[in-house]
């Protein structure tokens, strides 16, 4: 069994060994190589519209998301996701889009990552709207909660290393096709075997670098082309990113609780601009990957 898993790891790792230089990132020294090789092509992009309305008669981890003065995150993300799907399939020849949801109903985060992995996605883009918690002020000896509308602009998230075991499970179960994987252990590879650990760590590191690079490209389009404020690219323990066995980025498209951002996020022109920026970044990323793989 161990030999079979190692062969799968080696095969998967061999698809990731052509190198290119990453753009600068606020995350640290992850500025090195890594894209797939052997004539690799990006064929499937999974687009995830964050949140949604809770479907009746279902169980799972659901969240309605943030809200502004007149709109809801779940509606904005779905509108942008549907536009992004059309734009990708129009402007990126040979690439199809898989949506994690196409209706108002929410999809649990467990199901979202399952959809992405089952589709064998090459990239995962999760769309969200940001919001700040209320500020707490003291007045006449009492604590008063006051809305904080100071947040603005975009933020890009990639998964953090502190959820690394969950990513290993996703790679073992979904990428490597480990039929012996068990939900609550990492039986897909032997954590006590140095070769197995090295190979798994190489796959994780390369996906992480690719995620950061794609996030940098998207962020640059927002800032340099659209002139939007950005809080940059940061790591965070987002479950849906950790559970997808592919390069993954979460895009906070704006602060829905900021009046200016809310108007932008709900406008046709704002949504179109967001989609156009993501498309340019995806086209640049695709070209880099496929040119390096030739």
């Amino acid at each position: 069994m161990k030999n079979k898993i190692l062969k799968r790891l080696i095969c998967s790792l061999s698809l990731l060994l052509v190198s290119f230089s990453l753009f600068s990132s606020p995350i640290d020294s992850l500025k090195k190589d890594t894209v797939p090789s052997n004539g690799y092509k990006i064929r499937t992009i999974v687009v995830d519209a964050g949140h949604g309305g809770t479907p009746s008669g279902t169980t799972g981890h659901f969240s309605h998301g943030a809200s502004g003065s007149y709109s809801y995150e779940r509606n904005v993300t779905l509108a942008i996701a549907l536009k992004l799907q059309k734009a990708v399939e129009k402007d990126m020849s040979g690439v199809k889009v898989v949506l994690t949801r196409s209706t108002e109903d929410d999809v649990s985060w467990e199901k979202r990552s399952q959809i992405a992995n089952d589709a064998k996605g090459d990239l995962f883009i999760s769309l969200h709207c940001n919001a700040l918690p209320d500020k707490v002020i003291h007045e006449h000896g009492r604590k008063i909660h006051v809305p904080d509308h100071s947040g603005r602009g975009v933020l890009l998230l990639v998964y953090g290393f502190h959820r690394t075991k969950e990513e290993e499970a996703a790679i073992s179960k979904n990428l490597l096709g480990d039929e012996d994987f068990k939900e609550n252990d990492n039986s897909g590879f032997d954590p006590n075997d140095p070769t197995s650990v090295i190979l798994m760590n190489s796959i994780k590191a390369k996906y992480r670098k690719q995620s950061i690079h794609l996030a940098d490209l998207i962020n640059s389009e927002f800032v340099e082309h659209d002139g939007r404020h950005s809080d940059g690219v940061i790591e965070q323990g987002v479950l849906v990113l950790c559970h997808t066995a592919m390069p993954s980025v979460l895009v906070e498209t704006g602060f829905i609780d900021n009046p200016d951002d809310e108007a932008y996020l709900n406008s046709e022109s704002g949504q179109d601009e967001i989609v156009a920026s993501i498309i340019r970044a995806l086209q640049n990323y695709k070209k880099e990957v496929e040119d390096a793989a030739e």
Side-chain angles (χ1 to χ4, degrees):
M1 177 62 199
K2 184 165 78 173
N3 288 337
K4 182 193 289 187
I5 295 300
L6 286 177
K7 286 180 181 178
R8 287 178 182 154
L9 281 165
I10 292 169
C11 179
S12 297
L13 182 60
S14 70
L15 297 176
L16 300 168
L17 292 179
V18 175
S19 64
F20 69 91
S21 295
L22 296 181
F23 294 165
S24 62
S25 165
I27 289 187
D28 54 296
S29 59
L30 295 171
K31 301 179 184 291
K32 287 190 179 179
D33 51 8
T34 195
V35 291
S37 59
N38 298 340
Y40 174 83
K41 301 288 184 183
I42 291 178
R43 302 190 186 279
T44 302
I45 297 175
V46 181
V47 175
D48 174 50
H51 304 284
T54 304
S56 59
T58 60
T59 60
H61 297 84
F62 298 106
S63 170
H64 290 175
S67 61
S69 62
Y70 62 88
S71 64
Y72 300 95
E73 177 180 11
R74 59 185 180 272
N75 300 128
V76 171
T77 59
L78 180 58
I80 296 174
L82 293 171
K83 288 186 175 186
L84 183 56
Q85 178 190 34
K86 290 181 181 179
V88 167
E89 294 178 347
K90 174 180 177 290
D91 298 333
M92 300 181 69
S93 178
V95 180
K96 72 173 182 177
V97 168
V98 173
L99 296 173
T100 59
R101 73 176 177 101
S102 57
T103 70
E104 292 184 359
D105 286 347
D106 196 3
V107 176
S108 68
W109 63 260
E110 302 100 329
K111 182 65 174 176
R112 291 171 191 265
S113 57
Q114 181 183 334
I115 290 170
N117 291 325
D118 288 349
K120 303 300 181 187
D122 299 294
L123 296 171
F124 180 84
I125 308 292
S126 187
L127 301 168
H128 287 258
C129 299
N130 220 337
L132 290 177
D134 289 349
K135 293 185 292 186
V136 178
I137 64 173
H138 298 290
E139 188 174 285
H140 305 301
R142 294 188 307 159
K143 291 182 179 179
I144 300 176
H145 291 262
V146 179
D148 185 352
H149 302 306
S150 63
R152 66 187 180 95
V154 298
L155 172 67
L156 286 298
L157 303 180
V158 297
Y159 58 84
F161 277 133
H162 57 292
R163 303 202 79 112
T164 187
K165 294 299 181 184
E166 293 166 79
E167 192 200 0
E168 289 173 359
I171 291 172
S172 181
K173 183 177 181 181
N174 298 297
L175 179 64
L176 305 180
D178 177 18
E179 66 274 13
D180 294 326
F181 172 81
K182 294 181 178 139
E183 191 65 33
N184 295 318
D185 67 39
N186 280 337
S187 58
F189 75 101
D190 183 358
N192 297 313
D193 178 71
T195 303
S196 182
V197 170
I198 289 169
L199 291 170
M200 178 62 82
N201 286 342
S202 295
I203 294 175
K204 290 188 301 179
K206 291 177 190 305
Y207 277 170
R208 177 175 166 80
K209 290 174 184 177
Q210 291 167 3
S211 298
I212 292 171
H213 184 48
L214 177 58
D216 278 337
L217 290 174
I218 297 172
N219 188 59
S220 294
E221 292 295 336
F222 285 144
V223 173
E224 297 172 13
H225 190 277
D226 302 336
R228 301 193 66 198
H229 171 79
S230 173
D231 289 328
V233 179
I234 67 171
E235 66 173 36
Q236 198 170 100
V238 181
L239 286 168
V240 74
L241 298 183
C242 300
H243 285 246
T244 50
M246 64 202 70
S248 305
V249 175
L250 189 148
V251 183
E252 296 280 10
T253 56
F255 280 79
I256 199 169
D257 59 348
N258 174 301
D260 292 336
D261 272 14
E262 182 177 20
Y264 178 83
L265 291 169
N266 281 277
S267 68
E268 291 292 329
S269 59
Q271 292 177 4
D272 289 344
E273 190 169 82
I274 290 168
V275 167
S277 289
I278 296 173
I279 286 291
R280 288 191 299 272
L282 288 172
Q283 288 172 326
N284 290 335
Y285 181 89
K286 182 176 186 291
K287 186 176 187 304
E288 290 177 355
V289 168
E290 295 180 356
D291 285 353
E294 290 179 353

